[in-house]
Amino acid sequence: MRFALYYLLLLGSSYVISTYGPHQRAQKTGDILLGGLFPIHFGVASKDQDLAARPESTQCVRYNFRGFRWLQAMIFAIDEINNSSTLLPNITLGYRIFDTCNTVSKALEATLSFVAQNKIDSLNLDEFCNCTDHIPSTIAVVGASGSAVSTAVANLLSLFYIPQISYASSSRLLSNKNQYKSFMRTIPIDEYQATAMADVIEYFQWNWVIAVASDDDYGRPGIEKFEKEMEERDICIHLNELISQYFEDHEIQALVDRIENSTAKVIVVFASGPDVEPLIKEMVRRNITDRIWLASEAWASSSLIARPEYLDVMAGTIGFALRAGHIPGFREFLQQVQPKKSSHNEFVREFWEETFNCYLEDSLRLQDSENGSTSSRPLCTGEEDILSVETPYLDYTHLRISYNVYVAVYSIAQALQDILTCTPGNGLFANNSCADIKKMEAWQVLKQLRHLNYTNSMGEKVHFDENADLVGNYTIINWQRSAEDASVVFEEVGYYNMHSKRGVKLFIDNTKILWNGHSSEVPFSNCSEDCEPGTRKGIIDSMPTCCFECTECSDGEYSNHKDASVCSKCPNNSWSNGNHTFCFLKEIEFLSWTEPFGIALAIFAVLGVVLTAFVMGVFVRFRNTPIVKATNRELSYVLLFSLICCFSSSLIFIGEPQDWTCRLRQPAFGISFVLCISCILVKTNRVLLVFEAKIPTSIHRKWWGLNLQFLLVFLCTFVQVMICVVWLYNAPPASYRNHDIDEIIFITCNEGSMMALGFLIGYTCLLAAICFFFAFKSRKLPENFTEAKFITFSMLIFFIVWISFIPAYFSTYGKFVSAVEVIAILASSFGLLACIFFNKVYIILFKPSRNTIEEVRCSTAAHAFKVAAKATLKHSSASRKKSTSTGGSSASTPSSSISLKTNGNDQDSTSGQQRGNRPRVSFGSGTVTLSLSFEESRRNSMM
């Protein structure tokens, strides 16, 4: 029974081997067999199967010359290996290569033949029969091209751990080793390509694009990754469309309508050549030439699209092509192809007929009566000159996919070489054992490939990463029209190194690019016009972020490049120019010595110092004159010195504020003024007390002597000094840069404590108020002593100035704060100087006749007369009231006499008799005698 079962399986295997799989193939026997899957055709003919009869295999259409060249690259590599004496010596590699027709169904049909053969071999039927015609198992498969096709093939091959190395499938989904266990590739994955495309769009500063992807496992994952990259870069996709070569005409037309109506000028396409061809044809039919295409590697150099008749629309396309490689001897190998010399390659016959547009004598298509296209072709001899025609087959200038096929075959051969040369104890299998090259199985080759690391004949290192992907880079090409024959030229304009650091991965030579076939200016593909420097992008409601309006930067902000998202704030010491394109340093302002205002204030301050010094000089020069003596010359000297200090303190407010000047100027001003007003207060109060005393005694002279006066001045000034000390200790003023004003930095003084400044000015005003009180009270004293009226007036000026100063100080800013205070200091100082001293200087210098002792005494006598008269009238009035109240019948008539005695004058005899009974008051060197007498007329009759 067991023997019968094996016999049936043997018969079945013979049937499978001989009949299963596509009839058209390239096949050559060998010790080890490799499988191959290539798109010799772009697709299959669409034909409805009504199942009225046995379904027939679909027919492949549209010959792919590049696909045939890829197949030739595999055969060339195998022939090279078989002829090598160092690589797999004494071992012959065979191959079985099928056409996938760029469809899943054809690819699976071919893959099943690989799997079926391996399954038959696993039954180990050699002990039951001698199979001389036995075909060995397929230990590895090279292919397929499209990611969708490779995905279907990988699902099947992974079940049996048959290694599959694709040369053109770049979908990132195939990196999933849990699902595709035996899949490997020699092409970079789309994840890198999507990033590279986004980098190119960012490089050309586009932000409004159209994304088109094939509706398969290549396009969908690629465009999904592309969308994420675009989102990270704030670039918008206006349209996101899927396409397929099997779309109906109305679907293609609707898609082109949306593209034509879009304002986006850049179209990014993740698709293969056959899928994008219907879209390109419709664009050409409508002559839509104002678009720029960004092509993925699947169609960037596709002969299906890169046709001269499409260049009006496609010229200027930027494409990502795989890194080109060099295959020595491959050019000659391609030129040697002939139908009669290639009996093992059934695809050569069709290639020959398509190349020369003819048919061979034994062509099967000639017998197809339903196809009228070949009946009109001439016959071929099979010996035509292949160099006499131009086809993509002989375009070996940039071998990209062909080189990937070449690398894939050599990678398998190198893995077999590692198995062949493996020594026990150093192997990759259980107990470090080695596989037997003669009884080798596919899974063992897969294991060896995963650990592959070698240097090929070109000096390039080849190894697969943890996802079984080969590391690679992209070349950036530009579609241009040839000046010689108007054909398509792929001009290399840059590269993308995916393993370099960000910022240096992309290189593009803009001088080599021709946009739309003729222009060197980068096309515009933005939703909104660029925002010029000095503006920023403003959001428009219900629109993508790429659509914006340009808003001018605010004052103090700037943008120095186009399309700024935000305006940058100028540093504190800078301000934006009128166009808001850059920041300039703010003008630094303070009450400068060089500006007219500062010069004027300084001149007035110096003038005040000079005038005060002049007055002091006059007082010193005429210090022994009555006027100077009468004004208490010692206190006058101190008063004049304090005025010099007041004028000088105003100069500290001019110039750039420094920390030390800020700490010095307010105390200097406050102490100087307190010293000045203290002197006026003490002098005025002293004279007032003396004159109000009925009889000035020695006690008055003792308490109002010179020492006591200076002590009182010191005590009043000491209070102000203590206020300043406490202020400087707790909150010292400092230099401060005020940046609040737009284009100006005001250097001012931060007073530290406004309360302390208030105490300083308040104490000064308090002394001034007291001084004003005493001056007002003594306004009727002799003018030669205190000029009380002038002191009162000077105090009024002082109050007016400093009361006005307070609101002015707090309402101004910058350098004008210092200017207001300087003006207040100068105004009050000039008021004190002029009111107190100018009258005396005028008398001393221009009216010397009034600067005599007699003038002073006369003034004093006049004052005494007024006081005596007032007293007499007061006494008389009191007496009358008393008489009236007592009812006296007699009336009294007061009479008074005042006699004045001066040195050297004759005395009245009447007054001389009463001299001993009169009070005497001495002032200076003169003696004043006051005599008061009252006589009453008595009535004749006494009560």
Side-chain angles (χ1 to χ4, degrees):
M1 186 66 182
R2 182 171 176 269
F3 176 77
L5 179 61
Y6 282 134
Y7 180 73
L8 290 175
L9 288 173
L10 180 61
L11 291 177
S13 65
S14 299
Y15 175 78
V16 168
I17 296 170
S18 60
T19 62
Y20 195 77
H23 296 289
Q24 195 175 23
R25 67 187 68 181
Q27 180 171 312
K28 185 177 182 180
T29 60
D31 300 324
I32 298 174
L33 200 64
L34 305 183
L37 298 173
F38 294 92
I40 308 302
H41 294 83
F42 284 114
V44 295
S46 58
K47 185 177 181 181
D48 293 335
Q49 298 286 354
D50 58 3
L51 300 181
R54 180 184 179 88
E56 297 179 356
S57 177
T58 54
Q59 182 180 1
C60 298
V61 295
R62 292 185 300 168
Y63 196 82
N64 183 3
F65 289 95
R66 292 178 69 224
F68 180 69
R69 188 179 70 212
W70 302 342
L71 179 149
Q72 290 287 80
M74 180 175 177
I75 295 176
F76 175 77
I78 291 175
D79 288 347
E80 257 191 356
I81 294 169
N82 289 335
N83 295 327
S84 173
S85 59
T86 57
L87 189 59
L88 297 178
N90 302 321
I91 294 179
T92 302
L93 297 181
Y95 52 85
R96 294 177 68 205
I97 304 175
F98 296 98
D99 179 13
T100 65
C101 299
N102 204 36
T103 59
V104 173
S105 59
K106 287 292 184 180
L108 287 178
E109 184 180 357
T111 305
L112 284 173
S113 68
F114 302 145
V115 173
Q117 178 60 45
N118 286 25
K119 193 62 178 175
I120 294 298
D121 285 351
S122 66
L123 298 177
N124 195 14
L125 301 179
D126 289 344
E127 57 179 307
F128 298 99
C129 65
N130 184 14
C131 301
T132 56
D133 294 331
H134 173 62
I135 299 177
S137 300
T138 302
I139 54 92
V141 175
V142 176
S145 60
S147 295
V149 176
S150 288
T151 299
V153 172
N155 279 318
L156 185 55
L157 294 180
S158 294
L159 295 175
F160 304 95
Y161 292 93
I162 300 175
Q164 173 192 359
I165 302 181
S166 175
Y167 46 84
S169 300
S170 56
S171 173
R172 62 185 179 89
L173 298 180
L174 290 167
S175 295
N176 185 355
K177 294 301 107 179
N178 293 326
Q179 185 174 357
Y180 308 107
K181 300 179 180 64
S182 62
F183 180 82
M184 310 176 82
R185 54 185 156 196
T186 57
I187 184 175
I189 64 174
D190 287 337
E191 187 168 355
Y192 298 123
Q193 185 175 193
T195 303
M197 283 185 165
D199 285 346
V200 168
I201 292 173
E202 186 179 31
Y203 175 83
F204 289 115
Q205 299 180 0
W206 297 322
N207 68 3
W208 194 238
V209 300
I210 299 172
V212 179
S214 57
D215 190 11
D216 54 28
D217 289 340
Y218 170 74
R220 287 191 300 269
I223 210 67
E224 179 183 345
K225 174 64 176 176
F226 176 74
E227 290 174 2
K228 292 180 180 178
E229 293 290 337
M230 297 287 276
E231 185 176 352
E232 291 178 2
R233 292 165 173 78
D234 292 329
I235 301 174
C236 300
I237 298 177
H238 186 208
L239 296 177
N240 199 338
E241 303 287 346
L242 294 176
I243 59 171
S244 172
Q245 59 180 312
Y246 302 111
F247 268 14
E248 300 291 338
D249 290 343
H250 66 88
E251 294 178 297
I252 295 296
Q253 291 173 3
L255 173 59
V256 175
D257 287 341
R258 292 191 291 273
I259 292 175
E260 190 173 13
N261 294 330
S262 173
T263 56
K265 302 301 181 182
V266 175
I267 306 175
V268 180
V269 181
F270 255 97
S272 61
D275 286 326
V276 78
E277 184 185 22
L279 173 63
I280 301 302
K281 284 184 176 180
E282 183 63 21
M283 297 284 286
V284 171
R285 188 185 70 82
R286 299 191 187 189
N287 195 30
I288 303 175
T289 60
D290 60 340
R291 297 296 191 272
I292 295 298
W293 300 80
L294 192 57
S296 66
E297 46 77 27
W299 70 279
S301 56
S302 172
S303 60
L304 199 64
I305 309 299
R307 295 182 177 181
E309 58 267 28
Y310 294 166
L311 268 183
D312 289 340
V313 172
M314 303 306 296
T317 296
I318 299 295
F320 284 84
L322 302 175
R323 180 177 55 87
H326 178 62
I327 306 176
F330 187 51
R331 175 180 180 180
E332 291 75 13
F333 177 80
L334 294 177
Q335 295 174 353
Q336 292 173 1
V337 63
Q338 276 190 348
K340 296 179 181 180
K341 296 180 182 180
S342 305
S343 58
H344 59 276
N345 189 348
E346 299 178 8
F347 298 108
V348 174
R349 301 178 60 83
E350 185 178 1
F351 162 74
W352 203 263
E353 292 176 349
E354 293 294 332
T355 299
F356 294 100
N357 195 24
C358 64
Y359 63 89
L360 298 172
E361 292 181 348
D362 55 350
S363 173
L364 296 177
R365 293 190 297 170
L366 185 61
Q367 303 172 6
D368 190 355
S369 59
E370 295 181 359
N371 188 354
S373 61
T374 58
S375 61
S376 60
R377 293 181 180 183
L379 291 175
C380 300
T381 63
E383 296 181 355
E384 286 80 5
D385 184 8
I386 191 67
L387 298 178
S388 63
V389 293
E390 291 185 4
T391 63
Y393 170 75
L394 291 178
D395 184 13
Y396 41 77
T397 54
H398 299 289
L399 300 177
R400 307 182 193 281
I401 302 297
S402 300
Y403 185 73
N404 287 352
V405 174
Y406 185 77
V407 172
V409 174
Y410 263 88
S411 296
I412 298 172
Q414 188 62 45
L416 296 174
Q417 177 71 15
D418 292 342
I419 293 175
L420 179 64
T421 58
C422 178
T423 57
N426 295 321
L428 300 176
F429 305 99
N431 300 321
N432 295 326
S433 61
C434 298
D436 186 356
I437 191 70
K438 295 180 180 180
K439 299 180 179 180
M440 178 182 53
E441 296 185 32
W443 65 269
Q444 293 173 317
V445 179
L446 178 61
K447 176 72 172 179
Q448 202 71 44
L449 280 170
R450 289 179 178 176
H451 293 80
L452 185 66
N453 193 345
Y454 76 101
T455 302
N456 62 16
S457 59
M458 302 301 298
E460 298 175 342
K461 290 186 177 181
V462 179
H463 72 279
F464 297 94
D465 60 18
E466 63 275 6
N467 294 323
D469 300 326
L470 194 67
V471 178
N473 300 312
Y474 292 106
T475 298
I476 300 176
I477 60 175
N478 178 229
W479 289 23
Q480 300 179 8
R481 190 187 299 272
S482 173
E484 299 177 356
D485 54 6
S487 62
V488 180
V489 176
F490 302 126
E491 180 70 23
E492 292 188 4
V493 295
Y495 60 83
Y496 187 86
N497 188 343
M498 60 190 67
H499 296 288
S500 297
K501 294 181 180 179
R502 186 175 181 85
V504 296
K505 292 183 176 182
L506 178 66
F507 170 77
I508 295 179
D509 187 352
N510 292 331
T511 61
K512 293 184 178 181
I513 299 178
L514 290 180
W515 302 101
N516 299 112
H518 55 82
S519 175
S520 59
E521 183 180 356
V522 178
F524 181 82
S525 183
N526 293 35
C527 181
S528 303
E529 293 290 337
D530 293 342
C531 287
E532 295 298 324
T535 62
R536 63 172 179 84
K537 295 187 288 187
I539 298 175
I540 301 177
D541 293 339
S542 71
M543 292 293 289
T545 56
C546 300
C547 302
F548 49 83
E549 58 184 0
C550 298
T551 305
E552 187 176 5
C553 294
S554 303
D555 290 338
E557 297 180 344
Y558 74 100
S559 63
N560 55 9
H561 59 276
K562 289 186 176 182
D563 282 345
S565 299
V566 294
C567 295
S568 302
K569 189 173 181 62
C570 291
N572 284 338
N573 64 341
S574 302
W575 193 251
S576 57
N577 65 327
N579 295 328
H580 302 281
T581 55
F582 65 89
C583 293
F584 61 89
L585 292 177
K586 290 183 178 180
E587 182 181 354
I588 297 178
E589 283 199 4
F590 50 86
L591 192 57
S592 172
W593 293 100
T594 57
E595 64 177 295
F597 195 26
I599 294 173
L601 293 176
I603 291 174
F604 278 106
V606 173
L607 179 62
V609 172
V610 171
L611 289 176
T612 307
F614 173 76
V615 172
M616 181 178 285
V618 170
F619 267 54
V620 172
R621 171 67 179 82
F622 299 94
R623 60 185 176 277
N624 294 321
T625 61
I627 288 291
V628 176
K629 288 183 177 181
T631 56
N632 197 338
R633 61 187 176 190
E634 288 78 9
L635 278 180
S636 296
Y637 294 157
V638 177
L639 177 58
L640 289 169
F641 170 75
S642 65
L643 284 175
I644 291 176
C645 293
C646 290
F647 284 114
S648 300
S649 67
S650 65
L651 296 175
I652 307 176
F653 289 81
I654 304 175
E656 181 177 354
Q658 305 291 336
D659 287 346
W660 68 271
T661 58
C662 291
R663 293 185 177 98
L664 177 62
R665 65 183 193 174
Q666 297 292 5
F669 140 72
I671 294 172
S672 299
F673 264 92
V674 166
L675 179 61
C676 176
I677 295 175
S678 299
C679 292
I680 299 173
L681 174 62
V682 170
K683 187 167 70 166
T684 304
N685 191 39
R686 170 183 172 275
V687 175
L688 179 63
L689 291 177
V690 169
F691 272 92
E692 286 188 347
K694 298 294 184 290
I695 301 177
T697 63
S698 61
I699 297 177
H700 289 91
R701 287 192 289 271
K702 175 181 179 182
W703 285 102
W704 284 102
L706 192 60
N707 293 334
L708 181 59
Q709 296 173 42
F710 283 121
L711 177 61
L712 291 176
V713 171
F714 171 76
L715 290 176
C716 292
T717 307
F718 181 75
V719 174
Q720 185 77 306
V721 171
M722 292 308 300
I723 293 175
C724 295
V725 170
V726 174
W727 180 10
L728 294 176
Y729 179 79
N730 291 312
S735 176
Y736 168 70
R737 289 177 177 258
N738 186 353
H739 300 276
D740 296 338
I741 308 303
D742 291 347
E743 300 180 8
I744 301 173
I745 297 177
F746 286 118
I747 304 180
T748 59
C749 285
N750 181 4
E751 303 299 350
S753 173
M754 295 306 297
M755 182 181 293
L757 180 60
F759 275 117
L760 184 141
I761 297 177
Y763 178 68
T764 306
C765 291
L766 176 63
L767 292 181
I770 297 173
C771 185
F772 175 78
F773 171 76
F774 287 119
F776 182 80
K777 194 172 182 180
S778 60
R779 65 190 183 280
K780 296 181 180 180
L781 292 180
E783 295 180 357
N784 291 24
F785 284 90
T786 59
E787 293 83 19
K789 293 180 181 179
F790 295 106
I791 294 177
T792 304
F793 185 66
S794 68
M795 291 298 104
L796 284 175
I797 294 175
F798 184 88
F799 277 119
I800 292 172
V801 169
W802 289 102
I803 290 174
S804 304
F805 164 78
I806 294 174
Y809 183 84
F810 287 102
S811 62
T812 55
Y813 57 88
K815 65 180 181 180
F816 302 105
V817 174
S818 299
V820 165
E821 192 161 358
V822 171
I823 292 172
I825 293 172
L826 293 178
S828 55
S829 298
F830 274 113
L832 293 173
L833 178 64
C835 292
I836 297 174
F837 292 102
F838 279 7
N839 183 46
K840 296 179 178 62
V841 171
Y842 175 77
I843 292 173
I844 293 171
L845 296 179
F846 301 104
K847 298 290 183 179
S849 59
R850 295 179 58 185
N851 190 13
T852 61
I853 190 64
E854 291 81 5
E855 187 72 19
V856 174
R857 287 175 177 173
C858 286
S859 176
T860 305
H863 175 74
F865 176 80
K866 292 177 184 179
V867 173
K870 186 182 293 185
T872 301
L873 293 174
K874 185 175 181 182
H875 181 72
S876 175
S877 177
S879 298
R880 287 175 182 175
K881 289 181 180 179
K882 185 176 180 181
S883 299
T884 304
S885 62
T886 57
S889 59
S890 61
S892 62
T893 303
S895 63
S896 63
S897 64
I898 302 176
S899 64
L900 175 63
K901 178 182 179 181
T902 60
N903 295 337
N905 293 337
D906 295 335
Q907 298 182 1
D908 186 77
S909 60
T910 306
S911 63
Q913 296 175 357
Q914 300 176 354
R915 184 183 303 168
N917 297 327
R918 294 172 186 165
R920 297 166 61 89
V921 181
S922 298
F923 293 91
S925 60
T927 301
V928 178
T929 303
L930 300 180
S931 174
L932 300 177
S933 65
F934 298 91
E935 297 180 357
E936 295 183 354
S937 298
R938 301 181 184 274
R939 297 179 181 272
N940 296 328
S941 59
M942 299 295 295
M943 296 296 297

